[in-house]
Amino acid sequence: MAVSTVLTGARVVLPTGTVENGRVIVENGRIAGSAAEGAPTLDLSGHWLVPGFVDMHNHGGGGASFTSGTVDEILTGVRTHRQHGTTTVVASFVTGDMDFLGRRAGLLSELAEQGEIAGIHFEGPFISPCRKGAHDETLLRDPEPAEVRKLIDAARGQARMVTLATELPGGLDSVRLLAEHGVIAAIGHTDATYEQTRAAIDAGATVATHLYNAMPGLGHRAPGPIAALLEDERITVELINDGTHLHPAALELAFHHAGPERVAFITDAMDAAGFGDGRYMLGPLEVEVKDSVARLVEGGSIAGSTLTLDRAFKRAATVDGLPVESVVQAISANPAKLLGVYDRVGSLEPGKDADLVVLDADFELKGVMRKGAWVVEPKLG
């Protein structure tokens, strides 16, 4: 017997635009085109109804690390982000020993097969020591195709993205290898020139890992990777919109040049997201989180974020003044398309999973539904 719920009265953001006083029908975990007679209704007047958020770059949360946590801890991290609207999450690893990363990939591939995560992202070890950020330099290595292939194989079909410093030996061949296997090649933690970045894009790279961060700045004589990544229509740029990683003008520049169809908001979250200040481990490195900003204890580099995507959404719509439709593209539709799951998630369309977020008029999160079940049930009135 069909189980239906009709959500009414909200401003519903669809791929075609925002519908005032809209209605979304949920039936047996999916968005339906019509409701059973007498189906219960929930009045969401005065609220926004948007697709569930899709985070393609996330290292953990709720006190748990995707790189090193147990299965239960990983699930705690996943549930933490779900409570903040992220109904689809890719688990990202920081740099580690190759054997360790291979074992972890095998473990997390099972969670991906079960539908708990949307796959695995390897951020390292194939990155530049010049732009290592919060990665252990002693474990970095060149992106030789044979080594990259080891990690892809260990992930058993669940590798979704690999971040590379493509200027390093083997970089371009590894980009081609990833493209051939349907894995996103992301340019990041790189010291590449403008010309080297163009070559990587031509080889098949399609994503810029947290644009601006861990790469040379924009120069007027040596424009570097930022200019190449922003100007090329084949590239989607990740942005960490937490007010720490990016100045608002840098975010505006990215949106102006790439357009909302080529931006993906990410968290790059570490264990402290949704958990609080304190001392944490990011891979083998110790991190101190103070006033919600994560930095390495040794050296002081920014070490991921404590961001959740509901906060990124609110900041984008208020501080940055972006149209809500553009925010939804960047936080749901674009990453879903990149990950190859847009047929199931990323927009509010009949036939897709009933993954959705309820926001009030001030863009505060009030409800989260995943596959038709409330993760955070709206308490209205």
Side-chain angles (χ1 to χ4, degrees):
M1 181 179 177
V3 179
S4 299
T5 302
V6 183
L7 308 176
T8 64
R11 304 178 77 182
V12 181
V13 181
L14 303 175
T16 52
T18 298
V19 176
E20 301 287 342
N21 193 26
R23 92 188 210 134
V24 172
I25 299 163
V26 176
E27 186 172 285
N28 293 338
R30 294 186 181 276
I31 297 171
S34 60
E37 187 175 346
T41 64
L42 178 62
D43 185 2
L44 297 175
S45 297
H47 292 74
W48 292 88
L49 196 58
V50 300
F53 310 145
V54 180
D55 193 354
M56 58 189 282
H57 186 159
N58 185 317
H59 295 279
S65 165
F66 295 151
T67 300
S68 58
T70 65
V71 169
D72 285 345
E73 288 169 344
I74 292 165
L75 291 174
T76 293
V78 170
R79 285 192 291 267
T80 296
H81 284 282
R82 284 180 188 165
Q83 289 164 0
H84 291 274
T86 299
T87 51
T88 302
V89 63
V90 170
S92 301
F93 292 153
V94 294
T95 293
D97 175 85
M98 286 289 289
D99 289 340
F100 171 77
L101 290 175
R103 291 194 301 273
R104 295 297 298 177
L107 175 69
L108 266 73
S109 67
E110 295 180 16
L111 295 178
E113 290 160 3
Q114 295 164 14
E116 297 290 350
I117 61 174
I120 300 165
H121 164 217
F122 296 97
E123 189 184 16
F126 310 115
I127 61 175
S128 171
C130 302
R131 303 287 174 177
K132 65 182 184 297
H135 291 253
D136 186 342
E137 185 171 353
T138 65
L139 297 173
L140 302 183
R141 56 204 303 138
D142 290 339
E144 294 293 341
E147 297 290 273
V148 174
R149 180 64 187 267
K150 285 179 185 177
L151 294 187
I152 298 174
D153 290 345
R156 302 199 314 243
Q158 301 300 330
R160 294 290 171 265
M161 183 163 65
V162 178
T163 294
L164 308 164
T166 53
E167 75 277 9
L168 296 177
L172 295 184
D173 285 338
S174 287
V175 169
R176 296 184 187 103
L177 172 75
L178 292 167
E180 289 168 4
H181 285 79
V183 179
I184 296 166
I187 300 171
H189 287 274
T190 177
D191 206 37
T193 63
Y194 174 86
E195 292 76 15
Q196 289 171 327
T197 306
R198 289 286 300 268
I201 297 169
D202 287 339
T206 56
V207 166
T209 292
H210 44 53
L211 186 74
Y212 300 112
N213 297 108
M215 59 182 65
L218 188 64
H220 64 291
R221 291 195 181 93
I226 294 171
L229 294 164
L230 280 177
E231 73 183 9
D232 199 298
E233 293 184 356
R234 294 169 289 183
I235 291 291
T236 298
V237 298
E238 294 182 346
L239 297 177
I240 308 170
N241 194 22
D242 61 353
T244 298
H245 281 79
L246 296 178
H247 189 282
L251 182 135
E252 183 181 3
L253 180 71
F255 262 89
H256 177 75
H257 284 277
E261 66 278 357
R262 289 206 295 118
V263 171
F265 282 136
I266 60 163
T267 60
D268 193 18
M270 46 82 70
D271 313 19
F275 200 67
D277 289 357
R279 290 281 181 112
Y280 298 86
M281 298 301 295
L282 187 62
L285 303 179
E286 191 172 13
V287 174
E288 182 172 14
V289 178
K290 186 176 181 181
D291 298 327
S292 297
V293 177
R295 294 186 179 275
L296 290 182
V297 171
E298 187 174 337
S301 292
I302 292 177
S305 84
T306 62
L307 186 63
T308 51
L309 282 181
D310 58 332
R311 285 170 43 215
F313 193 115
K314 179 172 181 174
R315 183 178 178 85
T318 56
V319 176
D320 302 311
L322 294 173
V324 173
E325 295 82 359
S326 296
V327 181
V328 168
Q329 269 190 281
I331 214 164
S332 300
N334 295 344
K337 290 173 183 176
L338 281 165
L339 296 170
V341 295
Y342 190 64
D343 60 325
R344 302 195 309 273
V345 300
S347 66
L348 300 177
E349 297 178 271
K352 293 193 175 186
D353 290 349
D355 289 5
L356 51 87
V357 175
V358 180
L359 304 167
D360 68 14
D362 297 320
F363 302 103
E364 291 288 342
L365 184 142
K366 294 298 178 182
V368 181
M369 177 181 283
R370 184 174 187 269
K371 297 184 184 297
W374 289 111
V375 177
V376 177
E377 188 164 1
K379 293 179 173 59
L380 307 175

